[in-house]
Amino acid sequence: MDPLPTPRKAFRSIMQPLAASRIIAMALLVFVIAGQLRMRRRSDDRAATS
């Protein structure tokens, strides 16, 4: 059995945890921004109808 991992396995073992945390952070950021835009659009619609 070879003691050294292949370059692909080494890359995945290092990059996957780093990328996963950034992907989760970006998904939360998009979710928060979309929620704020939706709330702003609702308040604009209510102001326009009154």
Side-chain angles (χ1 to χ4, degrees):
M1 186 167 176
D2 190 18
L4 296 175
T6 63
R8 184 175 182 173
K9 284 184 181 181
F11 180 79
R12 282 189 63 198
S13 68
I14 294 170
M15 292 304 294
Q16 190 172 11
L18 294 174
S21 62
R22 288 184 173 95
I23 289 170
I24 292 170
M26 291 303 292
L28 288 173
L29 183 64
V30 167
F31 181 76
V32 167
I33 291 172
Q36 287 179 348
L37 291 175
R38 186 174 180 180
M39 288 173 54
R40 182 179 296 165
R41 190 175 303 149
R42 281 186 181 177
S43 66
D44 290 345
D45 289 344
R46 287 181 184 162
T49 58
S50 33

